[in-house]
Each structure stands twice: as C-alpha cells, then as structure tokens.
Amino acid sequence: MQNFINQLSEVLESKYILTQDEDKAPYLTDWRKRYTGKAFAVLLPSTSNEVAAIVKLCAQHQIALVPQGGHTGFCGGATPDNSGKQVILSLKRMKQIREIDIANQTITLEAGCILQSVQEKAVENGYLFPLSLGAEGSCMIGGNLATNAGGTNVLRYGNTRDLCLGLEVVTAKGEIWDGIKGLRKDNTGYDLRDLFIGSEGTLGIITAAVMKLYPLPVSQWTTLVACENIASTIALLTLFQKRANSLLTGFEMMTRESLDLNEKHFPQMANPLQGNPPYTVLIELSDHESEEHVRQLLETILEDAFEKSIISDAIIASNLTQANSFWHMREHITLAQAEEGANLKHDITIPLSSLDSFIRETDELMREKFLGVRIINFGHLGDGNLHYNIAPPLGADPKTFNETNEKLIHELVYGQVERCKGSISAEHGVGQLKLDGLRAHKGEVAHDLMKALKTALDPQNILNPHKVVSI
Ligand code: FAD
Ligand code: MLT
Ligand code: ZN
C-alpha cells in the first residue's frame, strides 16, 4: 500500500489524498445513513487525466475504486465496503463547464458539477436544463448519469439518459474514451454511451458529458388538486395528457399519510388543500405561447375534471412563491421520512393500467401481515413511478422492526411488482441495496448478459465491485 501511496503522490498533490480518519469520515456514510463503510483513502482528482492515472495505478495494484459524486444516492452505490481496502474517488473537484453551444442547444460539463448550478447556468443563457430532483443542491451530474436519475420532469423531458448526447469515460484500464459529441443521431455500432449511463460506477468513471438544453418556457402554472382515490388520480392524468399533451411537465402524487408526516416534522409544509384529502396531485403546465393560453387551458381542464367528479378541490398558485411552496411541500416528504427515522423504501414502476389494483391489493396485504405499519406513498405518477415506503408502527423501534421484517416486506412488495410486470427500481438504481434482488427480477438470461458485460469491461473487478452485479 505504501508503494501505491508513493506513486499516487506523483499524480495528486498530497492534500488531495485523504488518509486520516477525520478527513475521510464525511465520505463514508450514505445520505440515508443505511451504510457506513471504510476506505483506505479518499482521492480528489481535478482532471480526466488525473482520474485516468489513478485508475491505472489501482489496476496495477488491484485496488478497488468507489466513484462518488454528491453521495445522495439511495442504494449505497457510492459507499465503500467494510474491508478498508477500497479507495473512494470523489469527482467533486471536476466542476468545469467546458462549453455552452447555443446553436446546438447543448452544454458540455464535468462530472462534479452540482445539478442546481447546471440548471442556473442554463437559465443565465436563456435555456432550460430540465433535470430536477430534491437533491439538486448537492447531487452531481456524474452521479445523475451513473444512476440515470429521474425526478419530476421525466414525463416531458425523459430520464437523465434522454438528456445526454455524449460522454467522456475513464475505463477500467485507465484509458480515456472520448465520446464528447453533441449529436442527436449516431448509429455507429454499439451504444457505449448508453452502456455507461445507469451503470453506477461499475463499468467506467464518467468524467464529462454533453447534455441537452431546451428553450425556457414563457409561462408555468402550478396547481394542487384533491382526489378521493388512486383511480381518480389516474383518470386525471389521462385527462391532462389528452388535453395538455406536451405542456404537461409535472404530475406528482402525494397521499394523505405522506403529507401528515410532512406536517408533523415541518408544520410550515402543511397541505393547503382543506382537510388534507386522501390524494393530493401537484400538476405543472409549461407553455411557450403565453400566460393567458396556459392559464385558460388549465382552468378548462380543471372545470372538466370537476364536472366529471374526478377532483373535489383545487388551488391554482397565484404567483411564483406559492408555486414554489407547492413544490417544497412535495420535496419535503423525503426529509420528513428521514426525520421520522429508518424506513423501508421501494422505488417501483407499475404500468398505469395496473396501478390501482397494485395499490389496493398491496396495501391490504401489508396491513394484514404487518399490523400497524404506516404506508407512506408518493411518487411521479405521470411516469407510473411509485415510492411505496413503509414506516414502522408508531411506538415501535425502527431498527428492531426493520431487522425483523425488512426481508418479508420487500418480498411482499416485489412479489406484487412482478405480478404486475413492473420494475423494482424505477429511478434510484441498484447499488448494494438491491444487488441480491436483481438476479430474480431480471431473470437468468439478462443477469448473465450483465455479468458478461461487467467481466468484459472490468476483468479485474476494480470498479465499484459488488454493486449492481457481482462477478
Ligand atoms: P452518488 O450518490 O455519489 O453516486 C451514485 C452512484 O453513482 C454510485 O454508484 C456511484 O459510485 C456512482 N457515481 C457517482 N459519480 C460517478 C461518476 N462520475 N462516474 C461513475 N459513477 C459515478 N433520485 C431520482 O432519481 N429521482 C429523485 O426524484 C430523487 N430525489 C432525491 C431527493 C433527495 C432529498 C435525495 C437525498 C436523493 C434523491 N434522489 C433521487 C437520489 C439521488 O439524488 C440520485 O440518485 C442522484 O442521481 C445521485 O447523484 P450523486 O451525485 O449524489 O451520486
Ligand atoms: C422523490 O421522488 O422525492 C425521490 O425519489 C426521493 C424519495 O423517494 O424519497
Ligand atoms: Zn422520486
């Protein structure tokens, strides 16, 4: 190891090689405080050449690397194991915007750029960078790409994958693959870019990317709507999709229980809809024509929904501050859950046609088998993405409850997901959390193909081993 450190110091200044416990500590525990690992060192390169040199050295010494961005991931993907032999490679010093190409509507940027700063840079240039999620103040574009993050704009603009045109990646051999191209068409063989996106640091280290920009909408209207049951929220989605089509940029569902929890921990985040209805839907329309056009459209659709008895109440935000407060309420659910203590998250997708029966049946089974559990559901309904979360019964010790029931609860939810032909990870990824579940979920053939890819691209198994697939 000493030899490795000596060679490292020819690549990085010593202040960017962290080996003291107090310096490494902030990099060792994930956001949910579910995983704490040990690391031999934390390395902080600032260029792609430095990353490549580090990976070469790691390959030479057979040392495993755990890439890390903002460390906001939910599946323990960026947290090292307990061996103390892995090194963390933090991309946080790589935060250059390399180019903004207005004619091509693209931004080329390094992996350590914080998502919010990218959104702000786009706006400064009169454009929209649509990726948006609760962790945007600290997650990084490399992490977003590595997890193929979703968030609240997917129904209009797609996942991170859909926003990316080109990548620069350091391979397991320490070579730099220069795929920095801003092309919307490129059928030249296997799609390496799409292979690295969503691979959670197991196939290569993303150092830079070309991302798409979009014209800024001239007007946005946000509304909170009350529905009595999940079937009505889906009917409402269908209505908005038909009538507003591509102007529909947000459609988020929150249950009464999730907003009760919000209010418990953040009283200022109470639901402004009277009586906190069983289902609250946050809807956003964005328009490139005019304020009046989108406002009128929104009102007409809401009137129609009232007439059809799909909704029972609605508040249209009268200004930007109120619209932001609706979004803050939605984003605070995750924080309220964290305040409440350890909980079990399921980030699933269900075909919208099966969502109603999925929720009714799963809720019933859950309440029957695990007396007193609290079901904290919310999600990106427009994408069929449900965050189906289970909190322990009031008064129960979360640690003991989870130790006893976690496996059984996951089995119940994932069994239901399989029955509906859904997915066990809509947007958060696999990491170490769902490593064991992946084989059964994907099936032997898909799982073997994934292992073959991992073996081909990282034969020494030094890139984030035992995350996503084990070889
Ligand atoms: P990290 O957590 O640091 O890493 C995630 C994975 O990517 C790890 O496997 C890591 O090894 C790998 N990785 C990181 N950087 C690189 C790189 N440069 N090259 C290769 N591999 C790399 N996620 C959603 O999808 N939608 C949401 O709506 C959403 N909301 C959230 C709200 C909150 C409050 C929080 C805390 C999290 C939320 N997340 C959400 C989860 C998380 O923010 C995303 O997964 C995000 O994309 C992770 O980015 P990061 O920079 O923090 O990555
Ligand atoms: C969200 O949609 O808010 C995120 O995915 C976070 C979460 O699931 O808690
Ligand atoms: Zn989400």
Side-chain angles (χ1 to χ4, degrees):
M1 282 292 194
Q2 195 47 51
N3 198 10
F4 172 65
I5 292 282
N6 291 346
Q7 286 175 289
L8 258 185
S9 44
E10 285 165 28
V11 177
L12 282 180
E13 282 180 63
S14 60
K15 63 179 174 186
Y16 299 126
I17 305 172
L18 313 182
T19 52
Q20 298 301 311
D21 286 349
E22 63 274 23
D23 297 332
K24 292 185 290 185
Y27 300 85
L28 300 178
T29 300
D30 71 319
W31 190 90
R32 289 181 70 201
K33 301 192 171 42
R34 234 192 112 100
Y35 299 101
T36 296
K38 293 186 186 132
F40 169 64
V42 177
L43 310 179
L44 302 164
S46 68
T47 65
S48 309
N49 285 332
E50 286 177 359
V51 174
I54 291 168
V55 177
K56 262 194 191 129
L57 273 181
C58 286
Q60 196 182 320
H61 291 268
Q62 302 259 25
I63 290 174
L65 285 144
V66 180
Q68 194 175 100
H71 211 182
T72 65
F74 282 149
C75 301
T79 317
D81 67 14
N82 275 314
S83 65
K85 291 183 179 158
Q86 301 190 323
V87 296
I88 293 173
L89 184 85
S90 166
L91 280 299
K92 73 180 196 190
R93 288 182 63 230
M94 292 197 58
K95 48 183 181 208
Q96 302 273 340
I97 305 269
R98 292 189 185 166
E99 188 189 17
I100 295 185
D101 182 341
I102 295 296
N104 202 37
Q105 298 198 12
T106 51
I107 180 166
T108 305
L109 72 189
E110 292 184 345
C113 290
I114 303 251
L115 173 55
Q116 194 175 326
S117 70
V118 183
Q119 296 164 342
E120 287 165 3
K121 196 74 189 172
V123 172
E124 271 170 40
N125 284 274
Y127 279 85
L128 170 76
F129 181 62
L131 183 63
S132 176
L133 43 133
E136 62 201 20
S138 46
C139 63
M140 296 174 193
I141 208 75
N144 300 145
L145 284 157
T147 56
N148 184 28
T152 52
N153 269 329
V154 173
L155 85 164
R156 167 67 180 86
Y157 298 99
N159 295 294
T160 307
R161 181 187 301 286
D162 304 291
L163 302 174
C164 179
L165 295 177
L167 282 186
E168 178 187 87
V169 175
V170 171
T171 68
K173 283 188 194 160
E175 292 169 334
I176 299 177
W177 170 54
D178 179 359
I180 292 290
K181 283 185 175 174
L183 304 178
R184 285 168 174 82
K185 285 189 161 182
D186 182 8
N187 272 349
T188 48
Y190 304 137
D191 195 329
L192 297 176
R193 176 196 62 199
D194 271 351
L195 199 57
F196 290 113
I197 296 173
S199 68
E200 300 181 52
T202 61
L203 300 181
I205 296 168
I206 297 167
T207 45
V210 186
M211 307 298 292
K212 291 184 200 167
L213 296 174
Y214 289 83
L216 266 178
V218 295
S219 177
Q220 281 188 316
W221 284 90
T222 312
T223 176
L224 280 184
V225 173
C227 290
E228 290 309 308
N229 49 50
I230 189 72
S232 301
T233 66
I234 296 167
L236 187 66
L237 174 65
T238 309
L239 189 66
F240 267 91
Q241 281 173 326
K242 268 195 184 155
R243 302 281 295 274
N245 196 3
S246 62
L247 304 195
L248 181 63
T249 47
F251 199 96
E252 297 287 315
M253 178 277 275
M254 297 159 273
T255 57
R256 173 181 280 158
E257 293 74 14
S258 64
L259 293 176
D260 277 343
L261 194 69
N262 236 4
E263 192 175 348
K264 175 175 169 190
H265 294 286
F266 305 104
Q268 73 282 18
M269 294 286 158
N271 191 348
L273 284 171
Q274 215 175 13
N276 189 14
Y279 287 88
T280 295
V281 184
L282 194 171
I283 302 163
E284 181 191 78
L285 296 188
S286 306
D287 193 22
H288 291 87
E289 205 172 303
S290 68
E291 291 272 341
E292 306 79 69
H293 176 253
V294 63
R295 164 95 201 193
Q296 248 173 34
L297 180 69
L298 177 59
E299 283 174 354
T300 322
I301 303 175
L302 289 178
E303 271 164 30
D304 196 7
F306 270 117
E307 269 165 32
K308 292 187 161 95
S309 301
I310 296 174
I311 65 175
S312 52
D313 196 4
I315 309 174
I316 297 179
S318 54
N319 52 44
L320 188 62
T321 312
Q322 195 178 15
N324 287 340
S325 75
F326 294 175
W327 280 108
H328 286 151
M329 180 176 87
R330 161 67 181 84
E331 280 158 9
H332 268 71
I333 303 172
T334 310
L335 308 181
Q337 282 192 285
E339 288 291 316
E340 183 74 1
N343 58 76
L344 302 174
K345 275 185 183 290
H346 304 92
D347 162 41
I348 57 182
T349 347
I350 302 290
L352 281 165
S353 43
S354 307
L355 196 62
D356 181 18
S357 68
F358 172 89
I359 293 182
R360 276 189 289 108
E361 286 171 22
T362 314
D363 283 3
E364 200 178 312
L365 287 170
M366 192 65 70
R367 294 203 168 101
E368 198 180 286
K369 294 196 171 148
F370 304 94
L371 282 184
V373 287
R374 290 166 295 154
I375 304 173
I376 312 293
N377 283 356
F378 60 100
H380 315 286
L381 196 79
D383 317 321
N385 179 183
L386 185 64
H387 294 309
Y388 192 95
N389 304 315
I390 303 298
L394 278 173
D397 172 49
K399 196 163 172 283
T400 318
F401 176 84
N402 289 347
E403 270 165 18
T404 320
N405 300 298
E406 171 160 10
K407 197 164 170 284
L408 295 169
I409 289 180
H410 287 330
E411 271 171 18
L412 194 167
V413 177
Y414 294 146
Q416 289 285 96
V417 169
E418 299 304 345
R419 193 183 57 74
C420 295
K421 294 199 181 305
S423 170
I424 62 165
S425 179
E427 56 173 10
H428 295 163
V430 176
Q432 46 184 309
L433 180 69
K434 296 176 195 164
L435 179 78
D436 292 336
L438 195 72
R439 183 188 205 106
H441 178 63
K442 298 301 279 191
E444 283 300 311
V445 176
H447 196 256
D448 284 351
L449 286 170
M450 285 191 187
K451 282 190 357 189
L453 281 171
K454 169 72 176 166
T455 309
L457 269 73
D458 179 19
Q460 292 190 90
N461 201 18
I462 57 164
L463 293 180
N464 220 2
H466 309 301
K467 311 279 172 58
V468 187
V469 286
S470 277
I471 54 167

